[in-house]
Amino acid sequence: MKLGEKELGVVVSVDSDEAIVGMYNVTNGASYFMDGEEVNGIKVGAYAILKQGRNRIVVTVLSEKVRDQLNTINSKEFDNRFHAQSIQRIVKVKSQGVIKDGYFSVTSSVVPMVGNVLVSASSDDIAAIFSRGVNKAESVAIGRSIMENQPIRIPINGFFASHIGIFGNTGSGKSNTLHKLYLELFNSPYGKAALEKSSFVVIDFNGEYGSGAAFKNCGVVQRYDGDTNKIPIDENILFDINTIKILVKATENTQTPFLARALEVWKEKQYYKYVPMEIGLLKKCLTSCDIDLIVEWRRIAEKILDSDNADCMAVLKTVKNYTNGNLKYDNGYINNGDNFDENTKKYNDLKLKEIENSLSSRIDEFDLYDSFFYFVEFQKIFNAKYAGMQLDWLNPVVERLGRLLRSVKRYAEIKDSKKCFTKGITIYNLKKINGEYKETFALLISKMFYEKQKADSTCISVHLIIDEAHNILNSFKSTHSDVWEDYRLTTFESMIKEGRKYGFFLTIASQRPADISPTIMSQIHNYIIHKLVNDKDLQMLGNTMPTLDAFSKSRIPTLGKGEAILTGRAFGMPSLIKVDYEEYSRPDSDDVDLIEAWSENPEASK
């Protein structure tokens, strides 16, 4: 027997993996003291240990009842001969596994036997159950077990090298739990190396991590909010046809091939060196007397040129139709079939060289957003002239592209891929971003880190942490197109199905697990479940969590604030825990104190 271990009862009968234990009278209290420490007594749902030689059989308490030794009447109710000192407490337990040499394993090879002694689960036993024998240095503290009041430690490797799900209703404590997990990791003996060798990316929809309070004293924390600090986006992620066609809802048969070709040529022209090509396009339109295309070309050029460079457009503005479909301008006529080389008078009269120089000068000053958008504008004319497309077919998608690029430009800046990825903690606060584009940025950021880790694993691991994950991982249709919805879900489902082999792990927190894609839910390895009361949420958890037993599931609707069920591949058994509350370094997720807020003298309300 271990030092200080107290015998609580003895097995009196066994039925398969269940046993009946007769409890000693001295252990009938709710708690008792052992070695100066208060230990919770045996109760329904708690873990206990049956000693069988070198094996310590882990059992859970299923039920308990009492038997009155002086009551000989065969009745379910006590009669008037009940005496307090004649009660015998009977406990029913179920075998769950065995601890041998400090390691826990789920097995049916060891079952209870009559005469086995029941003892309380020690802190070492609890550590073995949850950490599978991992030592203290290789685990982090998260809280205490509710039933046994023993410290709970989470194995670093088994837990953080996995996909993690944290679920609970508003106010249940899930934000504190999410933050506590990583705060303890960063403060562990492995924390410094983790921050130097891995990336921890937080996508924060509600701005709970926007202040400096979260992850205080955890080294340098990069924060982007799209306002005072614009979000860096890898140009290879944004200027990708698969991304663009989805975000602008391009049709597959007409608009997508148009955008794909425009993107390809724009990159071939090194993003900026396309003005000579557009001047050549204008000359062809002038030669063939395409007045509608000339007017459209002029409209685009006027948008590019500011007032200081607008004089060069004066003569071109005078070009118009005259009889027989030919063109005229202020100083002469443009006959069908005329060539426009640099030596012709018409070329000089229309100041095409001046226009070319002015456009080149302006476009050289553009960022990639404007450079690409105006190139696509000119490509409308090219496709209308040479591919037989109508401007009316292309104008809608170009307008949507313009809105997209303007919105992205408002909140983000395009950077070289090497400047977009940093090790340590990076927080993307999406609170200030227009609601229509929050999902867009969440998708772009997630895809950016996933593709980078997939192509070049300069980081040991990337941990993508999404708070309020139902905003981006929901399985129902939103205001976006079906193509967008399919692409969004396919992207994240690919991350969670294939990410582990690249060292890419998701941690998601949500108040509505039923709204999240079932495919994503089924790929989560470890769960922390706070209070949930919605039947659909509970059903989803029951369908996707093979390690959740019936007793633990039944407790989910009655959990208090900060209480949770911990289960998954990293743990031997599910357990009820109380997550430690982080007093100082925590996210901005506290409930509003109306008494204090409405008090004329806030100090008086304390």
Side-chain angles (χ1 to χ4, degrees):
M1 180 179 294
K2 290 184 178 181
L3 183 64
E5 193 170 66
K6 180 178 289 187
E7 295 184 356
L8 306 178
V10 64
V11 174
V12 296
S13 69
V14 177
D15 182 5
S16 184
D17 60 350
E18 295 182 355
I20 301 299
V21 178
M23 300 295 291
Y24 301 146
N25 290 334
V26 293
T27 62
N28 287 344
S31 63
Y32 53 90
F33 285 90
M34 187 170 64
D35 295 337
E37 181 181 356
E38 185 179 12
V39 179
N40 282 4
I42 299 300
K43 62 186 70 173
V44 174
Y47 288 118
I49 300 295
L50 288 177
K51 298 181 61 179
Q52 189 181 95
R54 293 179 59 192
N55 296 322
R56 296 173 69 82
I57 302 175
V58 178
V59 296
T60 51
V61 180
L62 299 180
S63 63
E64 60 176 322
K65 63 181 179 180
V66 295
R67 180 178 298 154
D68 190 344
Q69 303 294 342
L70 298 181
N71 187 351
T72 58
I73 297 177
N74 188 16
S75 171
K76 294 182 180 181
E77 304 293 336
F78 291 112
D79 65 6
N80 57 7
R81 288 181 294 170
F82 165 71
H83 296 280
Q85 301 303 318
S86 65
I87 292 294
Q88 175 68 53
R89 186 182 180 202
I90 305 298
V91 172
K92 184 177 183 181
V93 299
K94 179 180 175 65
S95 174
Q96 302 290 358
V98 63
I99 298 175
K100 187 174 182 179
D101 298 329
Y103 289 89
F104 173 79
S105 61
V106 177
T107 177
S108 58
S109 61
V110 180
V111 295
M113 298 177 64
V114 171
N116 290 163
V117 174
L118 183 76
V119 298
S120 59
S122 67
S123 57
D124 290 340
D125 293 325
I126 296 297
I129 294 171
F130 284 94
S131 302
R132 294 182 181 264
V134 176
N135 61 47
K136 185 175 181 180
E138 296 177 356
S139 60
V140 295
I142 185 63
R144 301 183 73 87
S145 60
I146 294 176
M147 296 298 183
E148 301 85 5
N149 195 32
Q150 295 293 334
I152 297 294
R153 300 189 68 86
I154 291 178
I156 291 176
N157 197 54
F159 189 78
F160 291 100
S162 73
H163 302 310
I164 304 166
I166 302 173
F167 304 107
N169 292 150
T170 299
S172 62
K174 68 179 183 301
S175 293
N176 177 72
T177 298
L178 173 62
H179 177 259
K180 180 69 174 178
L181 283 172
Y182 283 94
L183 185 65
E184 290 298 322
L185 173 63
F186 299 147
N187 290 330
S188 74
Y190 300 92
K192 182 179 179 181
L195 293 171
E196 292 175 349
K197 298 180 179 181
S198 295
S199 288
F200 298 86
V201 183
V202 181
I203 296 181
D204 178 17
F205 280 94
N206 294 336
E208 294 181 358
Y209 297 84
S211 70
F215 302 119
K216 185 184 297 183
N217 301 323
C218 292
V220 177
V221 180
Q222 296 286 341
R223 287 183 171 85
Y224 301 100
D225 60 8
D227 183 16
T228 57
N229 198 2
K230 288 193 173 183
I231 297 171
I233 297 293
D234 181 3
E235 62 185 60
N236 297 318
I237 294 297
L238 180 60
F239 295 112
D240 173 77
I241 187 56
N242 292 317
T243 303
I244 289 176
K245 75 176 184 179
I246 297 300
L247 296 180
V248 301
K249 306 174 186 177
T251 60
E252 284 295 325
N253 295 331
T254 302
Q255 295 172 348
T256 296
F258 158 70
L259 290 173
R261 178 59 181 163
L263 185 61
E264 179 183 357
V265 175
W266 179 63
K267 290 182 177 181
E268 288 176 357
K269 296 296 179 180
Q270 299 178 336
Y271 305 146
Y272 294 102
K273 299 178 180 179
Y274 59 81
V275 173
M277 184 174 71
E278 309 308 343
I279 295 296
L281 177 61
L282 173 61
K283 292 177 182 179
K284 291 294 184 181
C285 293
L286 289 166
T287 299
S288 57
C289 300
D290 292 318
I291 187 63
D292 291 340
L293 299 184
I294 295 169
V295 171
E296 181 67 12
W297 193 102
R298 192 181 68 210
R299 181 191 66 80
I300 298 168
E302 288 174 345
K303 287 174 61 178
I304 295 174
L305 296 175
D306 57 28
S307 58
D308 294 336
N309 296 301
D311 292 343
C312 61
M313 298 290 296
V315 180
L316 187 61
K317 292 180 182 180
T318 68
V319 174
K320 60 183 178 180
N321 269 321
Y322 77 100
T323 57
N324 299 323
N326 292 324
L327 302 178
K328 66 180 297 186
Y329 63 100
D330 276 355
N331 295 328
Y333 295 89
I334 302 173
N335 295 317
N336 193 11
D338 282 353
N339 291 319
F340 279 82
D341 58 60
E342 295 188 13
N343 297 317
T344 62
K345 179 176 183 296
K346 297 181 180 65
Y347 182 96
N348 295 326
D349 287 347
L350 293 173
K351 298 184 178 181
L352 298 189
K353 191 62 179 177
E354 289 87 337
I355 293 174
E356 179 179 352
N357 292 337
S358 296
L359 287 176
S360 295
S361 178
R362 285 287 294 149
I363 289 176
D364 283 344
E365 299 172 355
F366 282 173
D367 52 33
L368 291 179
Y369 302 106
D370 290 337
S371 173
F372 179 61
F373 174 71
Y374 284 113
F375 180 76
V376 173
E377 284 263 68
F378 281 125
Q379 283 298 101
K380 289 190 310 182
I381 300 171
F382 178 87
N383 280 266
K385 182 164 182 60
Y386 294 106
M389 294 185 179
Q390 299 293 325
L391 292 178
D392 291 344
W393 299 350
L394 303 177
N395 280 330
V397 74
V398 175
E399 290 175 3
R400 291 196 294 271
L401 176 66
R403 289 197 300 271
L404 169 69
L405 294 176
R406 286 192 297 273
S407 295
V408 174
K409 180 179 180 178
R410 177 181 174 185
Y411 302 111
E413 59 180 335
I414 300 298
K415 286 191 174 182
D416 179 82
S417 60
K418 294 181 180 179
K419 298 180 180 179
C420 293
F421 306 97
T422 56
K423 295 175 183 178
I425 307 169
T426 307
I427 297 174
Y428 295 91
N429 178 7
L430 306 184
K431 182 178 181 179
K432 297 180 181 179
I433 292 177
N434 185 289
E436 182 183 357
Y437 290 99
K438 283 188 178 184
E439 290 184 22
T440 298
F441 276 99
L443 178 62
L444 289 176
I445 294 166
S446 302
K447 185 175 175 62
M448 182 173 68
F449 277 90
Y450 177 63
E451 294 297 337
K452 176 64 168 61
Q453 183 69 5
K454 186 176 175 181
D456 179 18
S457 301
T458 54
C459 290
I460 297 298
S461 60
V462 173
H463 303 261
L464 179 63
I465 304 164
I466 308 179
D467 199 7
E468 305 297 340
H470 50 272
N471 287 298
I472 186 64
L473 301 182
N474 57 75
S475 58
F476 56 83
K477 303 296 182 182
S478 65
T479 57
H480 296 283
S481 66
D482 290 343
V483 177
W484 154 266
E485 301 294 355
D486 293 341
Y487 180 74
R488 171 181 60 85
L489 286 178
T490 300
T491 299
F492 281 102
E493 288 172 0
S494 175
M495 290 179 190
I496 203 164
K497 286 189 290 187
E498 301 178 6
R500 286 191 68 182
K501 59 187 176 185
Y502 302 115
F504 188 91
F505 306 105
L506 263 69
T507 298
I508 61 176
S510 175
Q511 54 190 278
R512 289 306 311 273
D515 289 347
I516 295 176
S517 161
T519 300
I520 292 175
M521 288 290 294
S522 67
Q523 296 297 318
I524 295 175
H525 308 121
N526 294 296
Y527 298 82
I528 300 179
I529 312 299
H530 289 273
K531 180 176 182 177
L532 289 168
V533 296
N534 185 279
D535 289 339
K536 291 183 178 180
D537 294 329
L538 296 173
Q539 184 178 1
M540 168 63 81
L541 295 179
N543 292 338
T544 57
M545 295 172 58
T547 58
L548 184 66
D549 58 31
F551 173 78
S552 299
K553 182 180 178 181
S554 69
R555 296 297 299 271
I556 294 175
T558 62
L559 294 172
K561 186 172 184 178
E563 297 178 349
I565 293 173
L566 186 65
T567 184
R569 297 181 188 176
F571 313 108
M573 294 296 299
S575 182
L576 297 171
I577 67 171
K578 174 73 172 180
V579 179
D580 292 337
Y581 181 72
E582 188 62 34
E583 188 67 31
Y584 300 105
S585 175
R586 64 175 188 268
D588 301 327
S589 59
D590 291 348
D591 296 336
V592 176
D593 188 336
L594 294 179
I595 296 297
E596 181 178 358
W598 290 343
S599 175
E600 294 182 2
N601 182 6
E603 293 299 324
S605 64
K606 295 182 180 181

